[in-house]
Amino acid sequence: LARSQEQLRYDELVSNILEEEDDVVACHRQQIEDNMALVQEEMGLLTQVEMPGGSVEQYVVSLDSVLLRKIETVNRLRQRLADFQQ
């Protein structure tokens, strides 16, 4: 009976580790998807600012917002990696 309880604890530990690994990979995948969407938004900003009459002031404000969101997505992923490493 004691052996089977040890085996159950071991199996649970392995299962938890696998879930954590899957979560890290999913978090990375989400960060990539978020970043791709933000890059597309940046490309749109470039297109707008390069058009005749494009507002550089609006471009700068919008670009800053996009860059802040990029930083947030990277920081979320980095935090998840740090949590995993502990």
Side-chain angles (χ1 to χ4, degrees):
L1 183 64
R3 179 73 176 145
S4 64
Q5 286 180 347
E6 278 184 28
Q7 185 63 42
L8 286 174
R9 280 192 214 123
Y10 174 80
D11 291 346
E12 185 177 328
L13 180 60
V14 169
S15 176
N16 288 343
I17 290 170
L18 292 175
E19 284 179 27
E20 287 283 317
E21 290 173 351
D22 289 346
D23 187 55
V24 167
V25 172
C27 189
H28 184 209
R29 184 174 305 283
Q30 184 62 54
Q31 187 270 335
I32 290 171
E33 290 173 8
D34 292 345
N35 195 48
M36 288 172 56
L38 291 169
V39 167
Q40 288 177 337
E41 193 171 332
E42 284 179 274
M43 291 170 62
L45 292 175
L46 283 171
T47 299
Q48 289 175 355
V49 76
E50 290 173 341
M51 293 175 79
S55 169
V56 174
E57 291 81 12
Q58 182 60 44
Y59 165 75
V60 169
V61 169
S62 298
L63 179 57
D64 188 53
S65 173
V66 171
L67 293 176
L68 285 173
R69 286 183 282 156
K70 279 181 142 180
I71 290 168
E72 289 170 4
T73 65
V74 169
N75 285 339
R76 269 195 307 271
L77 176 58
R78 292 190 72 229
Q79 182 60 55
R80 184 63 192 94
L81 295 176
D83 292 345
F84 178 79
Q85 289 175 326
Q86 296 196 10

